[in-house]
Amino acid sequence: MSGTRTGGNAPLLEVRDLEQRFDVSGGLIDRLRFSGGRISAPRRIVHAVNGVSLSIRRGEVLGIVGESGCGKSTLAKTIVKLNEPTAGQILIDGEDITHHDFTRMRPVRRKMQMIFQDPYASLNPRQKVRDIIMEPYLESQGGNVPDRAERALALLAKVGLGTEHLDRYPHQFSGGQRQRIGIARSLSVQPDLIIADEPVSALDVSIQAQILNLLMDLKDEFGFSYLFITHDLSVVRHISDRIGVMYLGFMVETGPTRTIFSAPRHPYTRALLAAAPQLGTKLGPAAGQLGGEVPSAIDLPRGCPFRQRCPLAFARCAEERPALLPVGGGQSVACHLDEPAIADPAA
Amino acid sequence: MPRPDIATTPLLSVKGLRTWFHTFGGIVKAVDGVSFDVAPGEIMGLVGESGGGKSMIGFSIMGLIDPPGRIEAGSIEFEGRDLATLGEDEMRSIRGKEIAMIFQDPMTALNPLYTIGNQIEETLALHTMLSARERRMKAIEMLHKVGIPQPEQRLHHYPHQFSGGMRQRVVIAIAMIAQPRLLIADEPTTALDVTIQAQLLRLMRQQVVESGTSLVLITHDLAAVSQMADTIVVLYCGRIVERGPAEEIIARPRHPYTRGLIDSIPHESDVDGAKRRLSQIPGNVPDIRRLPPGCAFAPRCPRASELCRTQDPVLSERECVGDGSGPPRLHAIACHHPLTVSP
């Protein structure tokens, strides 16, 4: 059963200065470079997540937005320990799981479950639905579950499916139904935290709305928290209490949903909001104004990660990387323009 | 159905198009009696969910339907010719030159073994008498137009040396270089990020407006279509359920399916006050091989009656609630119980 394991207001999930780097150098032969009569073998490192900190309270929905390659999915995978973090700390319910191995992660996985983007790839095609959705629970109980069938049925009912679906295989379902199965699977251990990585982006609009409603109903019923990862601004606005905006592996802005949408501070957040198509408005003057593309995560730019595309960049942005600093009202921004010394002329 | 409100003759006139696929599991009526006109310079949005038949309309126009698919009935009139009756040779002289197509995935639309210069010039080599030098100049000019920096050098690069957004720019350059009269874009920005999507939609609109090309924009993204299109056609299970001026369709949808689609999109106002539930369309898109009798949307429709479950609604036109200026514009709905609009 879910329940408070530690008292007080300790966050359910806390991530501190998380770094995730991947070595993509390949073998020695691939790495060899000849220049100026010298031979070298430089490593190629992808800096996927760069010093990200975040926290989620019980019952809270934190949305992470950003474009492809911004590190949002890697962040999710690292938090559930599908990647071994390079540096930083991950705490669940106050327990530091950063260096937990597979065995020690087992009990932790009962608190934290993941829903994946692709409902076609995330279900085993050879398993029946009843086995798919019960797997995390069986795993957590050591396989000894007498009332298996009843539990499976109860889970399916929660996500709007029924008895007739128990003995079917994934290919017999539509995309929306498969996503429901994935959700049922994550519910089986009654987790405290659900990490959802683009759970609706593979679905049609009308089905998207069904799944979003389901996720919100389940949250109301079970009181769990979401880390909700998406590139879709209208979805993140709908579901999140707070939002974090990522760019090139950095968290560039965080704050309450309403504030992020009504008073975005970081130039990237503003550009992102301006670019998002709005129903019934013609292509606005601000849309498509943000030129250029996301730079490579292998050779991170010096200074601010956004400076090459930023319309407001100035000399300091190329020199110094801005830190994510609070600007009041629960909002934090990583931008030199918003640092107190500049924002406040009196200082 | 002819549209008397458009003074100029349409560039493209699709009438009663039926594109069916004869599979072992039954006949898939991917496009089942679809009619619409596209005026010169018009931007038309074809919207609907997967299985709606929107891509198949694009493929039918391009003559790219392969067995077991077949155009069963209807005509596709383009500048006085019926494309549905043309042979492959004749279609080949039209494809790329007069009608060009942009596909969803810029990763697969380009040949990885040829430089992009090669691929841009190919269209010109096929359809014009230009010399190699002139073709090269044109290709450079076109790459410049679609916003690719250093086009002289980039001409010699291969597709894998470009990012997704840049590749889609190359695809747009290839499509536009022969100055086609009609451009069909099938989910051109779906695979791309929002900031890149905005750049490309802007670019596409600028290109078609400057050259007077008509654009058929096929997408599932109602918001993107509402930003671009003059006219919107909404498809469900291979049929048109609603068609009309873009602002009218978005602001005053009359078909319950269109209304449902619009309401499914999380809206700006959600952030104020309590998070409301999204109004959702119940159920799933039916198996197109086993469509229910009557209106295909009836099983999911809150307004459905016995009539809907037995009798196909006919697409019928009525005048929009206009502001009185300009010629009357028509709004077509296939519904027995359309939503009423408050004036």
Side-chain angles (χ1 to χ4, degrees):
Chain A
M1 290 300 288
S2 71
T4 324
R5 288 183 179 85
T6 54
N9 290 322
L12 179 61
L13 170 73
E14 193 170 9
V15 171
R16 294 182 192 146
D17 302 316
L18 194 69
E19 303 258 345
Q20 184 68 57
R21 294 192 282 270
F22 298 103
D23 190 332
V24 291
S25 316
L28 181 66
I29 304 290
D30 295 329
R31 281 163 49 204
L32 287 179
R33 296 283 178 276
F34 304 93
S35 64
R38 292 175 64 93
I39 301 176
S40 61
R43 290 204 166 273
R44 288 160 54 81
I45 309 286
V46 173
H47 302 261
V49 176
N50 303 298
V52 166
S53 300
L54 57 87
S55 69
I56 301 178
R57 291 190 304 272
R58 256 170 217 289
E60 189 180 45
V61 182
L62 175 67
I64 302 284
V65 272
E67 299 180 279
S68 31
C70 76
K72 55 191 192 300
S73 288
T74 307
L75 176 69
K77 286 183 183 155
T78 306
I79 290 173
V80 298
K81 295 291 299 290
L82 291 175
N83 299 321
E84 197 54 36
T86 313
Q89 268 186 311
I90 305 162
L91 292 92
I92 291 283
D93 242 352
E95 179 186 358
D96 187 341
I97 62 161
T98 320
H99 301 292
H100 275 21
D101 58 15
F102 188 82
T103 325
R104 286 169 72 202
M105 274 306 288
R106 242 184 209 183
V108 179
R109 293 198 196 285
R110 283 170 56 191
K111 300 183 190 172
M112 175 164 77
Q113 282 287 311
M114 188 150 175
I115 302 171
F116 297 91
Q117 169 169 10
D118 187 346
Y120 294 83
S122 56
L123 304 178
N124 185 341
R126 288 161 177 271
Q127 275 187 320
K128 287 179 181 171
V129 167
R130 64 162 78 230
D131 299 319
I132 292 175
I133 61 175
M134 288 303 287
E135 192 169 8
Y137 185 70
L138 291 176
E139 184 78 358
S140 72
Q141 300 299 310
N144 179 26
V145 180
D147 53 346
R148 224 186 253 209
E150 294 88 272
R151 278 184 171 270
L153 200 55
L155 280 173
L156 277 189
K158 288 281 179 233
V159 298
L161 297 173
T163 328
E164 69 274 25
H165 299 114
L166 269 178
D167 288 310
R168 292 196 195 161
Y169 291 92
H171 75 267
Q172 294 170 291
F173 293 89
S174 68
Q177 288 174 319
R178 282 184 222 206
Q179 204 55 300
R180 288 176 191 270
I181 296 169
I183 292 168
R185 175 175 61 186
S186 72
L187 293 178
S188 67
V189 292
Q190 305 205 352
D192 299 329
L193 173 66
I194 289 190
I195 295 176
D197 184 9
E198 301 270 15
V200 297
S201 49
L203 307 174
D204 272 324
V205 196
S206 70
I207 307 300
Q208 226 177 55
Q210 293 177 3
I211 298 296
L212 284 176
N213 281 339
L214 173 64
L215 288 172
M216 295 188 42
D217 291 347
L218 292 172
K219 173 181 141 33
D220 289 345
E221 186 176 344
F222 296 106
F224 44 57
S225 314
Y226 285 117
L227 177 63
F228 199 96
I229 290 175
T230 178
H231 70 285
D232 189 327
L233 287 160
S234 57
V235 166
V236 85
R237 178 176 54 200
H238 186 75
I239 201 156
S240 311
D241 301 315
R242 281 192 305 127
I243 288 178
V245 182
M246 283 185 75
Y247 186 80
L248 204 60
F250 294 89
M251 193 69 85
V252 297
E253 182 161 6
T254 62
T257 304
R258 188 193 291 243
T259 315
I260 294 285
F261 276 90
S262 60
R265 305 277 293 246
H266 197 284
Y268 176 65
T269 313
R270 289 185 203 170
L272 198 62
L273 295 181
Q278 286 287 333
L279 197 63
T281 55
K282 285 292 166 191
L283 212 52
Q289 292 299 57
L290 182 65
E293 298 187 10
V294 183
S296 157
I298 292 179
D299 305 304
L300 285 185
R302 246 159 58 86
C304 173
F306 186 59
R307 70 180 162 85
Q308 289 135 322
R309 299 175 78 189
C310 183
L312 305 172
F314 57 105
R316 192 164 156 222
C317 304
E319 299 301 320
E320 201 183 320
R321 193 161 283 162
L324 188 69
L325 298 172
V327 292
Q331 196 175 9
S332 295
V333 185
C335 179
H336 288 312
L337 288 170
D338 260 310
E339 281 167 16
I342 293 172
D344 179 13
Chain B
M1 223 172 266
R3 288 180 46 187
D5 57 322
I6 286 184
T8 48
T9 39
L11 176 72
L12 175 77
S13 182
V14 174
K15 290 198 182 82
L17 180 68
R18 287 183 205 279
T19 305
W20 292 1
F21 289 79
H22 300 265
T23 68
F24 291 116
I27 297 177
V28 175
K29 299 178 179 176
V31 182
D32 196 25
V34 163
S35 305
F36 59 87
D37 289 351
V38 182
E42 182 178 2
I43 300 181
M44 167 176 284
L46 280 184
V47 284
E49 299 182 283
S50 13
K54 52 195 193 303
S55 290
M56 284 308 147
I57 292 175
F59 286 133
S60 301
I61 297 170
M62 290 297 280
L64 293 175
I65 299 292
D66 287 326
R70 204 166 67 196
I71 295 181
E72 299 284 326
S75 61
I76 305 169
E77 274 174 48
F78 177 76
E79 296 195 306
R81 282 163 298 180
D82 182 359
L83 301 185
T85 62
L86 293 188
E88 178 57 23
D89 285 348
E90 292 163 297
M91 268 321 286
R92 206 172 282 169
S93 70
I94 292 174
R95 245 183 252 139
K97 186 174 179 222
E98 293 175 59
I99 307 179
M101 189 155 181
I102 297 174
F103 298 92
Q104 170 169 1
D105 187 355
M107 308 295 163
T108 52
L110 295 170
N111 188 328
L113 300 179
Y114 289 93
T115 64
I116 60 140
N118 261 320
Q119 300 185 54
I120 297 174
E121 283 175 36
E122 187 190 3
T123 315
L124 293 176
L126 276 174
H127 297 299
T128 70
M129 304 297 282
L130 297 177
S131 71
R133 200 185 139 73
E134 288 166 321
R135 294 202 297 265
R136 205 179 105 86
M137 295 305 293
K138 274 223 151 199
I140 291 174
E141 188 193 319
M142 199 64 223
L143 281 182
H144 182 74
K145 268 195 191 162
V146 298
I148 291 188
Q150 302 168 309
E152 293 85 353
Q153 283 107 62
R154 294 300 256 166
L155 217 49
H156 303 294
H157 288 176
Y158 290 88
H160 77 268
Q161 292 168 294
F162 292 80
S163 66
M166 283 293 160
R167 266 183 253 202
Q168 201 62 308
R169 283 173 193 267
V170 172
V171 172
I172 293 175
I174 294 174
M176 293 301 293
I177 192 152
Q179 295 173 319
R181 303 288 314 277
L182 174 66
L183 179 63
I184 300 171
D186 188 0
E187 302 272 9
T189 58
T190 306
L192 304 169
D193 280 322
V194 268
T195 62
I196 308 295
Q197 168 176 317
Q199 287 173 9
L200 286 167
L201 289 179
R202 173 173 289 266
L203 170 71
M204 270 175 34
R205 195 168 65 176
Q206 180 195 334
Q207 288 292 315
V208 298
V209 167
E210 271 176 18
S211 58
T213 304
S214 304
L215 172 65
V216 173
L217 180 65
I218 298 170
T219 179
H220 70 285
D221 187 342
L222 258 180
V225 114
S226 74
Q227 291 188 309
M228 294 275 289
D230 304 312
T231 314
I232 291 180
V233 171
V234 185
L235 293 154
Y236 188 75
C237 292
R239 296 190 177 191
I240 294 179
V241 295
E242 187 159 16
R243 180 183 72 205
E247 319 81 60
E248 178 81 8
I249 296 284
I250 300 297
R252 286 177 288 277
R254 306 278 315 270
H255 196 284
Y257 176 62
T258 316
R259 166 101 261 170
L261 275 186
I262 290 172
D263 289 346
S264 301
I265 302 173
H267 190 261
E268 204 168 343
S269 59
D270 297 350
V271 83
D272 293 319
K275 308 249 178 212
R276 71 174 171 98
R277 280 176 64 85
L278 291 167
S279 69
Q280 60 187 40
I281 304 176
N284 292 297
V285 177
D287 182 344
I288 201 156
R289 287 167 304 190
R290 292 175 196 84
L291 286 183
C295 173
F297 187 62
R300 305 176 73 189
C301 183
R303 300 171 73 85
S305 68
E306 205 38 52
L307 179 64
C308 305
R309 283 182 274 271
T310 51
Q311 201 177 321
D312 266 354
V314 183
L315 190 71
S316 60
E317 293 180 320
R318 51 205 86 186
E319 276 184 24
C320 295
V321 193
D323 54 3
S325 67
R329 306 191 71 186
L330 294 178
H331 190 154
I333 310 134
C335 183
H336 292 304
H337 309 291
L339 299 154
T340 47
V341 287
S342 42

